[in-house]
Structure formats: C-alpha cells, structure tokens
Amino acid sequence: MTRVVLMNPGPVNVDERVRAAIASPDECHREPETRELLARVRGKLATVAGGGDAHTAVLLTGSGTAALEATVSSVVPATGGLLVLDNGHYGERLHRIAQVHGIPVRRLEFGWANPVDLDAVERALTAEPWLSHVGLVHHETSTGMLNPAGDVGRLTARHGRSLILDAISSIGAEDLDVVADHVDWCVGTANKCLEGLPGISFVLGTRAGFDALAAIPARTFYLDLHAGYRAQVAGGAPQFTPALQVLRALDVALDLTLAETVTGRGERYRARAEQLRTGLTDRGVALLLPPPHRAASITNAWLGGDLTYDQLHDGLKQHGFVIYAVQDRVAGSFRLANMGQLTAADIDRFFTAFDAVTARPTVAAVGAGQ
Ligand SMILES: *Cc1c(COP(=O)(O)O)cnc(C)c1O
C-alpha cells in the first residue's frame, strides 16, 4: 500500500493494529462476544473522558454528526431550549440541527475565530430561564480554536443547566474530564483523535442522565438516544446492526489511546503542530490564531501571493499529502491537521513537498507578467 499522509481533520492515518482489526471473523451482533465488545468499548470511552462507574456511552453507527443529532434531538425537552455558543462552522451546525428538529434555540454568535465571551453566556443564561441546555464545540475544527469546556461547564452547572459538548475533534488528545468540567453530554467519534476508523460515533453521559430521557418524547426513530441506551446498556445488545468491524477497530484504537494516555497523545500532537507552525512561520506564512487559542491538532494558515487553495491542494496531493480547505473556502487560507499516526519525518517530507509546490506558481506568475 502506498502511504498517503492525511492532514485533513479525520479520517486519520491509523496504526497497523487498528487496520488489522477490521479483518476480524464474520460475526452476528446479537451474540455474547459482540455484547462483550460493546460493553468493553463503552467502558473504555468513559475512561478516556474521565468518567467513572456512573458514566456510560451509547454507540451509534454513523459519523460524528449522527451522534450530535441524536444528542440535540433527544436531550432538550420541548419546554426547554438550547443556547448555542457559535464561533465557527461546527457551532453553526449545532444551531442548524436544533432548528431542523424545531427545538427552541438561541444562538450567541461570537464570529469565526473569536473566543467565547463567558460574560455574554452568563447574561444569556440569567436573562432567559427557558434555556435548559448549552451547546459548545470543544475544539472548533473549522478554525483550530480550543474553546474553554471547563469554564463553560462550570458556568452552566452554576446556573443549573446542562452542557452538550461537541468533543468530536478533541476527545483523545485534549484535556477533557466530563466530571470536573461538568459535561452532561459528551459527543465523540472514532476517526479523529481516538485514531480509529470512520463509521462509529458515540454519546457519553451518566446512567441517571440517560434514564431521565424517558420523559422526553422521541423526535427521531433511528437516533433516539434513550432507545439506544435502553437497548445497549440495559438490554446488552444493540437496537440496530452496528458497523461491527469498525467497532473492533475502535476497541483496539482505545487500547492504544489508553496506553499512550490522553496527556501523552496531546504532547505528541503538540510536538507535530509545533513543527508545522514553525515551518510555516519560517516560510513567511501567517497563522490564523494567536498561540493561546490553538488546539493541538489543527493549524489554519493564510497563503500570501498568487497561490490558490486548489493549486496547493492538488500539488501536495501529487506528493502524497492531503490537506484541507477551510469550510467557507476563504481564498488563500488552508488547514493542516496533525491528528493520527503522523511522524516527525512525515512533516519534514511535507515541507519538502510544500517548497516544491509553492515555488512553482511564483515562477509562472513572474513569467506571465513579463
Ligand atoms: C468532524 C467534526 C464533526 C462531525 O463531522 P462528521 O463528518 O459527521 O464526522 C462535528 N463536529 C466537529 C467539531 C468536528 O470536527
């Protein structure tokens, strides 16, 4: 297999042991060995997020957005409402999901790449008692900004509300403790910083929290979190056919995560990110965010000069590197993710390719102007 280095924010390059796990024997999802697999994965997910015996997870077959939609549509009662803290593409998505389900929603827009204003959150919660839940994106993957989950969680708890945290691109690599940070609903996926394969996502919460969902009428059939919980946790078997091979891979990926530790993985990611950020800055490329707001796994950068995103992307792809656009395709900006099994040597090779690609259009532009 030729190695393609993925610098998009998931799916990621995985460890060979994770890849090997999908070649597991054929199996039926209603047999005891599969039940054990599901229970094992739920337990490991709770451990990764700092949860204890009170915590469990519901697994969904679907990408991260399936778990987000299951959460928003299942936990906010018709008599309550969701306060969305929006400072990027995924904040917008939380708002959109609530709207699609007709859930009362208030959106605090801070603007892309602007930090969350805790005073504004406090004012909104004080002024609008009907808001029962707060929705926050931990790592806003569109800009690479790490939002203060603990500060928002403590503020939310102080006001007697519940926090829904989109931890899809943070869990596994960023500090996150669902207990200390007061995260009531923690949403994640297999194929980002947990370094599994795409197809499985999950929602972590307390058993008491899942039990209490019985009082909220389902808004969807397939993504009904309480039904999923009753089947998986109380009944011990999944309600619907899960992506079993992807679950086997996630089981292995979680072992590797726990062995490396979340702190260790965060350090590894930050070392790679530093290498990228230093390399870009040395080449005169400006970065979007100031250092205090940067997550461990994304670097957003501006490309000066005539080079377009498509030229950069296509040029790097020929060298075996896949980079990513910023959602709104802001001209001259691009994203580099360093999630997954990236080595320091990969990043050295990336810069060799980057130099080759960025040198070419400049020469062409000079030629064209003469
Ligand atoms: C990747 C991501 C999602 C989900 O995207 P999917 O394509 O559905 O997996 C949601 N929120 C954030 C912050 C993400 O980075």
Side-chain angles (χ1 to χ4, degrees), residues 9 63-66 68 90 93 137 139-141 166 168-169 189 191-192:
S63 75
T65 308
L68 274 183
Y90 292 101
R93 180 172 295 186
V137 179
H139 170 201
E140 180 46 82
T141 325
D166 172 350
I168 291 174
S169 65
T189 201
N191 61 277
K192 294 195 184 185

Side-chain angles (χ1 to χ4, degrees), residues 180-324:
D181 296 339
H182 293 276
V183 180
D184 298 278
W185 303 104
C186 179
V187 181
T189 201
N191 61 277
K192 294 195 184 185
C193 306
L194 292 176
E195 303 191 358
L197 292 165
I200 294 285
S201 54
F202 56 88
V203 184
L204 258 157
T206 60
R207 287 166 203 273
F210 282 114
D211 282 331
L213 298 182
I216 303 175
R219 293 186 177 91
T220 92
F221 180 71
Y222 195 76
L223 296 176
D224 178 358
L225 209 50
H226 188 252
Y229 165 74
R230 271 198 325 264
Q232 292 177 30
V233 180
Q239 206 182 358
F240 311 112
T241 314
L244 289 167
Q245 284 73 15
V246 178
L247 263 169
R248 294 262 167 222
L250 178 57
D251 190 29
V252 174
L254 285 166
D255 285 339
L256 299 178
T257 305
L258 290 169
E260 185 174 14
T261 76
V262 172
T263 307
R265 181 160 298 176
E267 281 165 10
R268 170 161 65 85
Y269 281 16
R270 270 187 292 277
R272 301 286 176 271
E274 247 345 279
Q275 203 184 341
L276 283 170
R277 290 163 190 170
T278 305
L280 290 170
T281 308
D282 287 351
R283 287 162 175 80
V285 178
L287 307 184
L288 175 72
L289 294 180
H293 295 304
R294 292 176 190 161
S297 60
I298 296 270
T299 301
N300 271 36
W302 298 104
L303 198 65
D306 304 325
L307 193 70
T308 66
Y309 172 79
D310 287 339
Q311 286 172 325
L312 181 64
H313 170 274
D314 297 355
L316 287 168
K317 182 97 184 271
Q318 286 180 0
H319 289 83
F321 296 89
V322 175
I323 65 164
Y324 216 56

Side-chain angles (χ1 to χ4, degrees), residues 45-46 48-52 54-57 68 71 75 85 94 132-139 146-158 160-168 170-171 174-188 202-210 225:
L45 286 171
V48 165
H55 283 83
T56 190
L68 274 183
T71 307
V75 311
L85 311 184
L94 277 176
S132 54
H133 290 71
V134 174
L136 175 73
V137 179
H138 190 199
H139 170 201
L146 189 67
N147 284 319
D151 292 341
V152 172
R154 282 181 284 278
L155 176 62
T156 303
R158 192 149 31 81
R161 319 298 173 78
S162 298
L163 178 64
I164 298 171
L165 187 70
D166 172 350
I168 291 174
S170 60
I171 191 166
E174 302 286 356
D175 281 346
L176 176 62
D177 183 315
V178 287
V179 177
D181 296 339
H182 293 276
V183 180
D184 298 278
W185 303 104
C186 179
V187 181
F202 56 88
V203 184
L204 258 157
T206 60
R207 287 166 203 273
F210 282 114
L225 209 50

Side-chain angles (χ1 to χ4, degrees), residues 17-71:
R17 287 165 284 184
V18 172
R19 196 193 320 286
I22 62 172
S24 55
D26 298 338
E27 64 186 303
C28 165
H29 62 294
R30 303 215 179 275
E31 293 301 311
E33 59 277 15
T34 313
R35 215 170 280 186
E36 281 160 27
L37 168 70
L38 283 158
R40 210 160 56 230
V41 168
R42 285 198 307 268
K44 289 175 192 174
L45 286 171
T47 305
V48 165
D53 288 344
H55 283 83
T56 190
V58 170
L59 298 159
L60 291 115
T61 291
S63 75
T65 308
L68 274 183
E69 185 155 6
T71 307

